[in-house]
Amino acid sequence: TMDTTPTFTWKKLTGSTQYRIQLLRGGTTVYLKAATCTTTTCSLTPTNVLVYSDYRWRVQANVGGLWGDWSYYQDFEVVRPGFISDFNGDKAGWKNIVGNWPIYQDQYLISSGGVNLFNSVMRNAPYPTFNYEAVMKRVGDPNFASALYVRGTPDPLRTDGGWYTGYYFAYTNSGYFSVWRFLEGSEDAMQGWTYSPSIIPDSFNLLKVVGDGPSLKFYINGNLVWSGMQDSIANGYPGITFYSPYAPGNRLLVNWARISTVNLTALELDPNEQVESGQIFVGGDSPFVAP
């Protein structure tokens, strides 16, 4: 839910008009609220404004002056509203991390990048749960990476401009993708460089990452290319990045980017969804250049 003052509802217990609700964040009680109810369906809407986080709640009924057992916990998450950035004239909500990222022709976010650096831009709010999409086109050397960050934290930046922490989803115009985890300044490959028939060389490509708890799914142009369970990074910022081996002739254009945070479709969360056929694993130990 995006409601920071949610309404709690439950069924009335025969013989009871008094109730109390306990709301917890982690192991800490956020509030304990009393409620009365004279109808078959009871509800309470506390005015306390909740921060974006995971919660659980339960209800207890008083019958004949005695408090009964607590109900089972119910879990929910208060999520940050999503965004749509079409870059038609401005890049509101985005912050330069490495390199300059101006608006080009009133329709693209663009960067030529610094030499031998991960150049990046970051959305200014964290998203633990998300459907993150961006359409981008890389110009220049076909073997160097353009990528999305999710659940990222830039600072302290690595010497090559890479973010300190985050999941990193990269592709190249030579037709390869990879998935990496940046953790406290070092990186490891969750999926080394792999050929994908879904990549359109030298054109705009749609990259998408869906994150819901430990479940992560990565798509290129609508096709699932990697999925797995990974719980080492629970929250962080979305970003866009590319590696530039030299400035002249290398640039990244981003047509649009957006995040939705609720109502993730059944397909995106389907555990039986199959990774595309035709992939060829080639390996490689560098997140910025395909073998």
Side-chain angles (χ1 to χ4, degrees):
T1 179
M2 288 185 288
D3 188 354
T4 56
T5 56
T7 296
F8 302 93
T9 59
W10 64 96
K11 290 184 179 180
K12 185 178 184 295
L13 184 66
T14 301
S16 177
T17 58
Q18 291 184 314
Y19 298 87
R20 56 188 179 190
I21 287 176
Q22 183 186 32
L23 177 70
L24 295 98
R25 180 186 178 197
T28 302
T29 297
V30 178
Y31 52 66
L32 188 66
K33 298 286 186 180
T36 58
C37 179
T38 57
T39 59
T40 56
T41 300
C42 312
S43 67
L44 179 68
T45 307
T47 58
N48 306 67
V49 177
L50 303 182
V51 300
Y52 303 117
S53 187
D54 294 314
Y55 297 90
R56 55 180 181 162
W57 71 282
R58 59 183 181 174
V59 63
Q60 186 180 38
N62 188 303
V63 179
L66 298 174
W67 290 104
D69 295 332
W70 286 99
S71 66
Y72 291 111
Y73 283 111
Q74 299 293 316
D75 298 325
F76 69 98
E77 180 183 4
V78 179
V79 297
R80 188 182 302 276
F83 66 83
I84 300 175
S85 296
D86 57 19
F87 303 122
N88 291 345
D90 67 65
K91 59 172 185 178
W94 294 85
K95 176 184 178 182
N96 294 355
I97 301 300
V98 178
N100 189 28
W101 293 79
I103 297 297
Y104 176 63
Q105 295 183 344
D106 285 336
Q107 59 181 327
Y108 302 111
L109 182 67
I110 190 171
S111 180
S112 296
V115 178
N116 298 324
L117 288 173
F118 284 102
N119 303 275
S120 63
V121 63
M122 181 186 79
R123 188 69 186 182
N124 62 4
Y127 287 89
T129 302
F130 53 84
N131 176 349
Y132 179 33
E133 301 174 282
V135 171
M136 60 181 66
K137 177 181 179 180
R138 176 64 180 268
V139 179
D141 193 307
N143 296 311
F144 285 86
S146 306
L148 300 181
Y149 280 117
V150 295
R151 295 181 183 162
T153 300
D155 295 326
L157 285 171
R158 298 165 19 141
T159 56
D160 60 8
W163 288 15
Y164 186 65
T165 294
Y167 298 113
Y168 169 91
F169 180 33
Y171 85 100
T172 69
N173 277 331
S174 57
Y176 297 92
F177 80 93
S178 60
V179 180
W180 301 74
R181 181 183 64 172
F182 282 32
L183 192 61
E184 298 181 352
S186 63
E187 79 272 346
D188 62 89
M190 294 160 57
Q191 173 75 30
W193 288 105
T194 303
Y195 170 77
S196 170
S198 296
I199 295 170
I200 306 172
D202 303 311
S203 185
F204 283 97
N205 286 271
L206 170 61
L207 272 63
K208 178 170 77 170
V209 186
V210 178
D212 184 37
S215 174
L216 293 170
K217 293 194 173 187
F218 299 81
Y219 300 77
I220 298 175
N221 294 319
N223 297 311
L224 179 68
V225 295
W226 190 87
S227 67
M229 306 296 286
Q230 175 59 249
D231 61 2
S232 56
I233 307 172
N235 198 2
Y237 297 82
I240 298 167
T241 184
F242 74 106
Y243 189 85
S244 180
Y246 49 85
N250 268 272
R251 60 187 183 274
L252 182 69
L253 294 89
V254 184
N255 192 4
W256 55 261
R258 67 188 180 197
I259 273 185
S260 58
T261 55
V262 294
N263 299 324
L264 302 183
T265 68
L267 174 63
E268 289 160 345
L269 298 180
D270 181 2
N272 299 315
E273 188 178 13
Q274 298 298 307
V275 171
E276 69 171 354
S277 60
Q279 289 188 8
I280 301 172
F281 177 73
V282 297
D285 58 4
S286 168
F288 58 78
V289 61

